[in-house]
Amino acid sequence: MLSRLAARARAWLVRWRPVMPILIAEFVVVVGFGALLPVLPLYVVDQGVDPATLGVILAAWPAARLVFEPFFGWLADRTSRKPLMIAGLLILTVASLLPLAFHGPLELLLLRFLSGAAASMYDPAARGILVDATADHERGEVFGLYTSAQMGGLIFGPVIGAFGAALGGGFGFPFIAAGVACALGAAYLAFALPPAAVGPRTHAPSTETSYAEYGTDSPDLAQRYVESQRRDRTPQAPLREMLNRAVIGALTMNFALYLAVGVYEVVWSLYMRHLGASLAWIGITYVLFATPVVLFSPFAGRLVDRLGGLRFAMGGGLVVGVALFIYALASEPYLPGAVILVEAMANAFLGPAMFAILARGTPAGRSSTTQGLFGAAGTIAFIVASLLTGVLFAIDARYPFAFFGGIVLAFFLIGGLIARGAAPRPGEAIAATGPAST
């Protein structure tokens, strides 16, 4: 039995080795990002910033992404993705450390904007590699793995940040942890990610060469990786082809999801402290959210690949909207800890489902560009939620959750109805019925 498990593990590693650098780097970077999550709102408020201004400062991150993510997504489809990703992480390293020296409201605003611009260099390129390096029937699973890597970082990051700060490191500790994680992610990608092949001279490796530089011993997987990096393998479809029902539906649902994310990032720590939670318990709530997503996202991705993403996207959106209403009813800090487990299970299916719907509508040669638009839709929602959440929280701590609960439900319904009418791409039905690789 052990030998059978070992064989399955080896087969799994061989199958996903071309995208493994992206998954590992994502985990490392999100550990640093997660270290800041429970502490950043408290740190900003402790500098004398009111909740409304806190919302503006935190909105600077998505505002920068709104400006830069579509551009860097377009650029990633035309140039080498590797330098973009490394440069973005190095800028994030610096921007994560500078708030320790510059902590006035204007400085914090500008540094959050810089961090968002840097993340815009990294994210669309990384997700574009995942799309291009996988077949149609693998997209749900690979984005389930990607979501699992992100949430794995959120298991460790908030615990490291909250407990490091509570046990003597102070509020400076999470900023240092975030900077170190981004630097490690950049160094790892520089070492582990093969050189991107660009232009007409790009060729798959010959059977006489070593495939180690491509992260695999298999010529087929090396071919897949090289093809995922080529910009000339197929003509780029016109930009107007991205305006199809699958893409628009996915953008609408991502907008809904990030309305909720904006609420959580701005006031979750403040709301939990309002309910009487300790800093340690606040950190644990992030772990409670991340753990089910890590455990179930790959399985959820496989179900999405087999059954389609729409039902899981709409069901997950329903749970997220209802959870917001329940949080508004809490009178002590432990009910949210129970509800967040249910919401996490929904998110385990929601992420792979939305990415699968988006990939279904992505035109040829436009994977990073479409991912950039997908991120921009979430970014707009994050900005709206961040700006309104601080104002609503200043009136009543429950208002942000109750107000956005209904809006999230409405937008998920609208997005699902739009995506429901999406026409399959040529050959999609045939590809979907083919056997999945193991």
Side-chain angles (χ1 to χ4, degrees):
M1 183 174 181
L2 289 177
S3 61
R4 196 179 313 157
L5 291 175
R8 289 175 64 89
R10 283 194 299 270
W12 186 90
L13 288 173
V14 167
R15 178 186 180 189
W16 298 115
R17 189 175 291 180
V19 298
M20 197 59 67
I22 304 298
L23 302 180
I24 293 174
E26 189 70 17
F27 169 78
V28 172
V29 171
V30 176
V31 167
F33 178 78
L36 280 176
L37 279 178
V39 172
L40 182 60
L42 304 177
Y43 175 78
V44 174
V45 169
D46 282 0
Q47 307 308 312
V49 176
D50 61 88
T53 306
L54 167 66
V56 175
I57 291 172
L58 296 185
W61 168 290
R65 297 192 66 155
L66 178 61
V67 173
F68 292 108
E69 193 160 8
F71 168 74
F72 282 119
W74 171 84
L75 186 63
D77 279 330
R78 300 178 64 87
T79 62
S80 173
R81 288 164 172 159
K82 181 176 179 178
L84 276 177
M85 296 167 68
I86 294 173
L89 291 181
L90 291 177
I91 296 171
L92 268 174
T93 300
V94 176
S96 298
L97 296 172
L98 287 179
L100 297 177
F102 304 96
H103 39 70
L106 180 59
E107 291 96 329
L108 291 172
L109 178 72
L110 294 176
L111 289 173
R112 289 296 291 171
F113 188 87
L114 177 62
S115 296
S120 299
M121 299 174 69
Y122 171 81
D123 282 341
R127 297 196 302 267
I129 290 176
L130 295 182
V131 172
D132 286 349
T134 51
D136 284 345
H137 64 271
E138 298 174 313
R139 298 279 165 66
E141 187 170 356
V142 78
F143 278 106
L145 293 170
Y146 182 69
T147 302
S148 185
Q150 289 179 321
M151 292 302 117
L154 283 182
I155 288 178
F156 294 99
V159 172
I160 292 172
F163 280 84
L167 296 177
F171 282 155
F173 178 85
F175 290 92
I176 295 173
V180 170
C182 290
L184 289 174
Y188 172 73
L189 285 179
F191 171 78
L193 198 64
V198 182
R201 293 188 178 181
T202 299
H203 299 288
S206 70
T207 56
E208 299 177 357
T209 62
S210 168
Y211 308 110
E213 64 174 311
Y214 300 96
T216 178
D217 295 326
S218 166
D220 293 336
L221 291 179
Q223 169 76 22
R224 180 189 293 181
Y225 182 83
V226 172
E227 287 298 312
S228 77
Q229 296 298 299
R230 294 184 64 178
R231 300 296 169 265
D232 64 322
R233 70 190 192 281
T234 54
Q236 285 190 320
L239 288 172
R240 64 178 179 273
E241 290 191 12
M242 292 190 295
L243 298 178
N244 57 71
R245 294 178 72 99
V247 170
I248 294 172
L251 298 183
T252 304
M253 288 187 281
N254 201 42
F255 181 88
L257 177 62
Y258 272 83
L259 288 174
V261 172
V263 173
Y264 297 143
E265 184 155 338
V266 174
V267 298
W268 180 260
S269 295
L270 298 176
Y271 186 62
M272 292 297 289
R273 188 164 68 174
H274 167 78
L275 295 177
S278 65
L279 182 58
W281 177 247
I282 293 172
I284 289 172
T285 60
Y286 285 93
V287 177
L288 292 175
F289 178 82
T291 301
V293 181
V294 170
L295 295 177
F296 293 102
S297 285
F299 168 75
R302 287 194 292 272
L303 281 183
V304 167
D305 287 333
R306 294 174 184 175
L307 303 177
L310 185 58
R311 69 191 73 185
F312 295 110
M314 295 188 70
L318 173 65
V319 174
V320 171
V322 172
L324 285 165
F325 284 114
I326 297 176
Y327 294 138
L329 300 175
S331 58
E332 41 74 32
Y334 300 107
L335 174 62
V339 175
I340 208 168
L341 287 170
V342 180
E343 186 181 4
M345 284 293 297
N347 273 270
F349 288 87
L350 184 55
M354 289 195 305
F355 278 118
I357 293 170
L358 183 73
R360 181 185 181 192
T362 298
R366 295 293 183 183
S367 55
S368 287
T369 306
T370 310
Q371 291 292 332
L373 288 178
F374 187 69
T379 295
I380 294 171
F382 195 108
I383 294 171
V384 171
S386 296
L387 295 176
L388 291 179
T389 291
V391 175
L392 292 170
F393 187 85
I395 299 172
D396 190 298
R398 297 168 296 176
Y399 283 2
F401 299 96
F403 177 77
F404 281 104
I407 298 177
V408 166
L409 288 173
F411 273 96
F412 264 108
L413 177 61
I414 293 169
L417 291 175
I418 293 172
R420 185 178 182 183
R425 292 180 298 175
E428 182 178 29
I430 297 175
T433 59
S437 56
T438 57

